[in-house]
Amino acid sequence: MTLLNILNKKPTTDVAASDSASEVQERFVRPRYRIVDTEDVYTIDVDVPGVSKAGVDITLEDGVLEIQARRSWQTPEGWSSFNRDEAGLVYRLRLAIGDGINDEGIKAEVEDGVLQLTLPKAEALKPRKISVN
Amino acid sequence: MKYLSPLTRRSGLVPFSADPFQDFEKEFEKLFGGWPSLFEHDGSFFTADNRRSAVANWYENDEAYVARFELPGLKSKDIDLELKDGTLSLKAERKTRNKKEKSEATVSYSQSISLPDGVNEADASASYEDGILSVTIPKAEKAKPRRIAIK
């Protein structure tokens, strides 16, 4: 279980790093994901096999949550792939979350190739009990 | 599209991507590339069937064949791997970590793959990390490339 930092701005350093590393072309794939809606939070499980903590970027801009998860795999020298080479594979998922989420409280962790996001609901969305006098 | 492309070297021996929907999903994503709303649906509406084949990426080097299976959300004890008579069998059950009891689901992976001739089954090894099961099957001596000196 590792806790991730949620950035509100796009990191620029990563882009530069991948430029210099690369003849490897990035391919974007939409991951499978599941959303569970509970009283206080939305929990999103995103399948990102082959991705470790370092490979995950999460940004939130204009009400759109963007998740990018890069595989760390690099095909070793002397290896050839004979169906698909997974080098450069990036899982990308964008979710429109609008105003319904308390941005500050978003949490993410990666374990066994699953990225689990916890998005606390904004106060306005939570069910409220109103007592009757 | 991959069915139209020229055969790769090993295509007769090892199956292509085991997930027939993968390309389809990609195409679908291209067509309806909008961003799904968090509030509308989850990403599994094409995959209501809970039996799947794990996508495998196959590699080869001089010494071995390596298969990397995508199996997110498992523990190594949940994976059952068997290699017998030239066939690699993989079985795994995944409980999705949903918090609502009623939406908890099990996804079963099951597949058998015929291996090429000339592998050393006894020395196969496997490891699981970050949701990827990596199986290494060494080549038998006779299947390794050999340099022949010219006298």
Side-chain angles (χ1 to χ4, degrees):
Chain A
M1 291 270 193
T2 33
L3 212 61
L4 299 171
N5 285 323
I6 308 292
L7 303 170
N8 280 316
K9 283 181 185 163
K10 288 183 188 280
T12 49
T13 47
D14 282 9
V15 176
S18 63
D19 275 351
S20 61
S22 65
E23 310 88 48
V24 179
Q25 183 124 31
E26 291 196 330
R27 287 181 298 124
F28 292 95
V29 172
R30 180 148 143 213
R32 290 179 202 276
Y33 64 101
R34 293 159 300 284
I35 297 173
V36 181
D37 179 358
T38 55
E39 201 172 300
D40 295 327
V41 296
Y42 294 101
T43 308
I44 311 177
D45 280 352
V46 187
D47 288 356
V48 291
V51 175
S52 60
K53 180 188 170 188
V56 180
D57 279 324
I58 301 166
T59 57
L60 179 58
E61 215 176 312
D62 300 331
V64 176
L65 186 74
E66 176 167 320
I67 299 154
Q68 289 205 14
R70 282 180 176 73
R71 274 198 195 178
S72 51
W73 175 258
Q74 286 178 330
T75 311
E77 195 135 329
W79 292 37
S80 54
S81 83
F82 51 86
N83 54 348
R84 303 185 313 153
D85 196 320
E86 59 201 288
L89 189 123
V90 182
Y91 293 101
R92 181 166 65 187
L93 180 64
R94 290 174 176 140
L95 292 168
I97 63 172
D99 302 328
I101 301 298
N102 171 13
D103 301 359
E104 303 294 312
I106 299 177
K107 285 201 183 76
E109 45 190 57
V110 186
E111 195 186 10
D112 297 327
V114 178
L115 171 68
Q116 186 172 38
L117 285 156
T118 309
L119 284 63
K121 292 184 185 177
E123 286 301 319
L125 274 194
K126 288 186 192 170
R128 224 178 313 164
K129 272 207 195 295
I130 297 163
S131 58
V132 182
N133 291 322
Chain B
M1 284 307 136
K2 64 191 164 198
Y3 301 109
L4 299 177
S5 63
L7 292 175
T8 54
R9 201 145 57 99
R10 295 283 173 183
S11 59
L13 301 173
V14 178
F16 280 112
S17 157
D19 183 353
F21 287 103
Q22 199 186 19
D23 282 358
F24 179 61
E25 276 180 326
K26 231 181 274 171
E27 292 304 312
F28 185 86
E29 169 74 2
K30 262 188 232 161
L31 281 175
F32 304 97
W35 303 339
S37 165
L38 172 60
F39 308 103
E40 279 165 10
H41 60 75
D42 66 16
S44 56
F45 61 93
F46 274 120
T47 53
D49 188 351
N50 283 328
R51 283 161 300 163
R52 288 184 202 156
S53 289
V55 173
N57 299 291
W58 283 87
Y59 298 88
E60 174 184 27
N61 60 28
D62 288 350
E63 301 292 319
Y65 298 98
V66 178
R68 285 167 45 86
F69 295 92
E70 298 180 357
L71 291 164
L74 293 170
K75 298 288 174 204
S76 47
K77 65 174 166 53
D78 302 326
I79 303 170
D80 185 16
L81 195 63
E82 197 181 87
L83 183 53
K84 200 182 163 193
D85 301 331
T87 303
L88 180 69
S89 310
L90 169 68
K91 279 201 178 77
E93 282 217 338
R94 173 184 182 191
K95 294 246 188 292
T96 50
R97 298 190 298 170
N98 293 351
K99 286 182 175 160
K100 255 188 197 169
E101 241 174 295
K102 64 177 178 187
S103 59
E104 175 142 321
T106 306
V107 177
S108 309
Y109 295 93
S110 173
Q111 64 213 82
S112 294
I113 295 152
S114 298
L115 295 173
D117 289 337
V119 297
N120 182 354
E121 293 185 9
D123 289 334
S125 62
S127 63
Y128 182 74
E129 197 191 355
D130 290 338
I132 301 259
L133 172 71
S134 187
V135 184
T136 304
I137 306 152
K139 292 181 183 177
E141 282 303 322
K142 60 177 175 159
K144 289 182 189 173
R146 221 179 319 161
R147 218 168 254 288
I148 297 166
I150 300 161
K151 287 177 183 166

